[in-house]
Amino acid sequence: MLSNAAERFRAWCIQSETGGALWRFRFAFTALWLTYDLADLIFHGTASILFGSDAHGLFTLQLLLIGAQFLVLANMGARLACFLCFTLRLAEAKFFFGLNDFYYYCAMMLLLSSVSLEGPGQPAKVWPRSALLAQMAWMYFATALLKLNPDWLSGGHLFVRQAYLAGGQGWPYPGFYTACCLNLGAASALAKLGVLAEFTMAILLTMKRWPRLTLALGFSIHLFAALALNVWFFGASMVLGTYFLLPRSSTEPT
Amino acid sequence: MRNACARAREILDAPSFVLALLLLLGLGQAAALALQFQEGFRPFQTAPGRVALSWDMFATHIERCSLGWDPPLPAAEGPFFDLRQKSLALEWQAIADSRNGYRNIAAWACSHYHQPFHALLHCYLPNGKEETSAIECR
């Protein structure tokens, strides 16, 4: 039985498909994070909140990340460049900002660094695409599980973020939204809906059927996070993953 | 050189390498989630803390505050009225996750700018309440 499983795993590891989906995802994912790093560098996004810490170290890391991402986009030593991106972002997370967004980038880039992609029409292994989807499904599951706590379910966490954005940052919530949703009761309802949506995303990404439904749900979750909570790049890269990596038809190998 | 590259690619494409990579990622993230439980997270009872790779986004206890100074801090680039001036409108914001975090920033400003001022905090709390306080810096 064990040898049977090993044999199936070996077969899965060498199974190939046309690499278009992976190629496009790697390009879009890298381009999105390159945009993040360029904007961060030009507008001093993260550097401005270091409060006297090592801004030079961060600047160097950002420059190296930008360079490595250009190499991925140009397909010049892309595998090695992906691994370099993973290492540099890990350093940024470890020494500067331990953000979930950065660890997520690291996990995705580490997986992308294990893919040989010669071009969009060339064959690629099937397993990296499955592993990337599993990674995203696990993230939705884990974050939904951790949100099963009084702080989130009571709406307290959402209330704090939104009240701060409205009162402290002048975030332009529409009048109807301010009237209906900037209170604990509405935030609690939204929070519970959010957990349900994230558990559903985990299931849908694992099943790999209904790509349109999965994409619509993922897009809705992250559009809300962008407009109501000011989280843009992480959500966009999750939506890109769902869009490019999910098989479009039931005949595609996974 | 070409042979070395081909050999390296062969190793990286081998099922044993794939297994090692997937185990590394899978076990690392499972361990991070297990650590959340070990450190006190209990579903429906206790909120998790921050643990890398456990995917605790939006799940932890947070407090947010507006932080301003009166009189404004004499920064090189002009008077510095509040922390919002350090933030970009989108994505990047100068924030802390607790009232103590904001007090630390206020204390940093106290030690950095040698002149008397008040740091004014207006905090938003998870119980739906708001709280205003001031820290005097001499």
Side-chain angles (χ1 to χ4, degrees), chain A residues 70-86:
Chain A
F70 267 120
L71 289 178
V72 177
L73 292 182
N75 200 29
M76 293 169 67
R79 255 178 113 161
L80 193 59
C82 281
F83 189 75
L84 192 59
C85 290
F86 154 74

Side-chain angles (χ1 to χ4, degrees), chain A residues 36 48-49 79 100 118 135 138 143 146 148-152 156-157 160-161 164 168-169 184 230 232-233, chain B residues 9 12 29 43-45 54-61 65-66 84 86 89 91-94 125-127:
Chain A
Y36 171 92
S48 69
I49 45 183
R79 255 178 113 161
N100 281 300
E118 305 298 336
Q135 172 64 47
W138 173 257
T143 193
L146 291 177
L148 294 178
N149 72 73
D151 271 72
W152 175 262
H157 189 114
V160 167
R161 282 182 180 265
Y164 168 74
Q169 297 282 324
L184 265 186
N230 199 13
W232 297 84
F233 285 89
Chain B
R9 185 173 286 192
L12 294 176
Q29 291 174 76
F44 303 106
Q45 291 173 32
S54 70
W55 313 118
D56 50 39
M57 46 274 205
F58 293 80
T60 55
H61 178 90
C65 305
S66 307
R84 193 164 60 161
K86 279 245 173 206
E91 187 82 18
W92 294 275
Q93 292 186 325
L125 309 178
N127 59 7

Side-chain angles (χ1 to χ4, degrees), chain B residues 4-138:
Chain B
C5 283
R7 179 79 189 122
R9 185 173 286 192
E10 220 169 80
I11 292 169
L12 294 176
D13 287 341
S16 51
F17 178 82
V18 175
L19 183 65
L21 177 70
L22 296 181
L23 281 176
L24 175 78
L25 268 172
L27 292 179
Q29 291 174 76
L33 192 59
L35 188 59
Q36 287 282 16
F37 280 90
Q38 198 183 329
E39 293 196 346
F41 166 67
R42 294 288 177 276
F44 303 106
Q45 291 173 32
T46 319
R50 296 303 307 271
V51 173
L53 291 174
S54 70
W55 313 118
D56 50 39
M57 46 274 205
F58 293 80
T60 55
H61 178 90
I62 62 159
E63 296 160 350
R64 288 269 196 271
C65 305
S66 307
L67 172 59
W69 287 277
D70 182 27
L73 301 176
E77 59 270 24
F80 191 23
F81 293 90
D82 62 37
L83 197 56
R84 193 164 60 161
Q85 278 176 262
K86 279 245 173 206
S87 296
L88 294 174
L90 293 178
E91 187 82 18
W92 294 275
Q93 292 186 325
I95 46 169
D97 282 343
S98 67
R99 279 172 282 183
N100 273 343
Y102 288 95
R103 287 187 190 117
N104 288 341
I105 296 171
W108 172 83
C110 265
S111 63
H112 195 74
Y113 298 96
H114 304 286
Q115 72 170 57
F117 59 81
H118 284 95
L120 305 166
L121 282 159
H122 184 82
C123 298
Y124 304 90
L125 309 178
N127 59 7
K129 295 191 171 146
E130 297 178 25
E131 178 191 280
T132 303
S133 60
I135 298 167
E136 199 171 335
C137 188
R138 293 177 189 279

